[in-house]
Amino acid sequence: MRVRFLIIFLLPIIFSCSSEKKITLPKTNITEASIIPKPLDVTPSDQAFALDQYSALIIDNDNTGFKTAAEFLINKINLKTGLTVPSSPKDDTRSIIKIYRSNIKSDNEEAYELEIKRDTIKLTANNATGIFRGIQTLRQLIPEHPNDSLANHNIWIIPGGKVTDEPRFEYRSTMLDVSRHFFEADYIKKYIEILAYYKINILHLHLSDDQGWRIEIKSWPRLTEFGGSTEVGGGQGGFYTQEQYKDIVAHAEAHHITIVPEIDMPGHTNAASASYPFLNGNGQKPELYTGTKVGFSTFDTRSDTVYSFIDDVIREISSITPGPYFHIGGDESHVTKKEDYLYFINRVENIVQKYDKRMIGWDEVANADLDSTSIVQFWNDLKNAELAVEKNLKVILSPANKAYLDMKYDSLTKIGYDWAGLIPVDSAYLWDPEEYLSEKYILGIDAPLWSETFDSTDGLEYLAFPRLIGYSELSWTTPENRDWKNYKSRLADQAEFLKRMNINYYKSPLIEWKE
Ligand code: TNX
């Protein structure tokens, strides 16, 4: 009995210890891997890669961006598997992840190629951003659980084959409203980490609204001291100091994500006017506002002092924002006369350009005589988006009835709105940007999360996930590569990652979650 046990159970283990190379890995199929967003092209091979304690990493490039990306990968592998992958081969190294620059065919800034073979993984791109995107694909290919029956140690089996990938759109964004309810900088940093995993490359922060001003402006301190002191429902609000904002920006940069700051004006400005009453020009001193109605406030659009205030705000924020964009809001200015509104948008556009930024505004701004570099963000009125196209401007798509993360999933959802409709997980995914405009005018997609209806990060995550994951695929993946049934099963496989990250996602009954 004993001898038999030895032969049957121990011999294979002894054998595998003495020559690990002989381990036969189970068959894999990379085309069935649950990568989101789905890559442009995936070709399978039958040689899987064994990630284990004998794996190492090599970067043949001293470009710091490449090194930082490689360190990021080593850290994420460690968090997921517990392995410490050395950054150069050792005597016992048997498999190698190689990261290097090569002139891959695509000239897309974010393109990468990933080749997975028995003993090597090669990740190549023209620049560090491409490498970083490719790293996310690799992370997603590492199984959550090791195989512990092949040898006397754990092995994470990565399916073999080749991935050639690049995004469809350059602007793949989500917006977070930190004005209606405030969310701390540390939380924003965690959020950024999740966005990066799904290759989202823009985080648009809605930093001011009627209910609160959330970014320190050194030349106008009452904006945050007073204007930031409350929020919807009367909570204590809050704001980011410039140091905290810089920290968010740096964390985003480390994840190859650009922060787009928004100061919403001339409407949605009650918190600013409550702090400095000259801004509204109507002689009244507004109270702080903790309700949810919109469209009642406006700046005085004919006052030079107001424009020098705006100059200060845009100058200070631009100086700590490395990204190319500045969002001026411009929506729902219901109490601003049309001619005043148009005049205002043009003057503010000039200020944005003076600080070397490219202006973005909600779709109403298309009615102004805009510079060809300015961008219109469609949310509500398709006529405005079409007007932008007539003017040859680029458009960001955020159709409220498809892409608003604050819409309820169904009638039972306890938080969120339904003014633009209910958005279950399938209809959030099942549309194409070209239903609205032809592709050449579309810069990308932004999925906004307005925060009137929740004050906790649990609420935030419940509305954002899993829909945001679908928007990442809509903005990265070509229409030919998108398919609801296929997406749905890849989404089901995200459950373990979301759980490990402690994300309070909505367990939509449309998905057979694999927890
Ligand atoms: C419309 S979208 C707004 C926001 C609200 C949102 C609520 C847009 C440009 N304006 O002020 O928070 O609806 O869903």
Side-chain angles (χ1 to χ4, degrees), residues 145 192 247 318 338 392 441:
H145 303 288
I192 283 171
D247 190 35
S318 296
K338 181 146 194 205
N392 221 356
Y441 293 105

Side-chain angles (χ1 to χ4, degrees), residues 27-75:
K27 282 224 174 323
T28 56
N29 185 349
I30 194 173
T31 63
E32 285 167 10
S34 289
I35 308 168
I36 299 182
K38 196 173 184 76
L40 187 60
D41 190 59
V42 181
T43 316
S45 82
D46 51 12
Q47 295 183 46
F49 178 94
L51 175 71
D52 63 8
Q53 66 202 67
Y54 304 112
S55 304
L57 188 138
I58 304 181
I59 332 165
D60 77 340
N61 193 305
D62 29 359
N63 175 312
T64 48
F66 277 58
K67 275 205 177 128
T68 319
E71 279 157 18
F72 173 92
L73 175 62
I74 288 175
N75 178 248

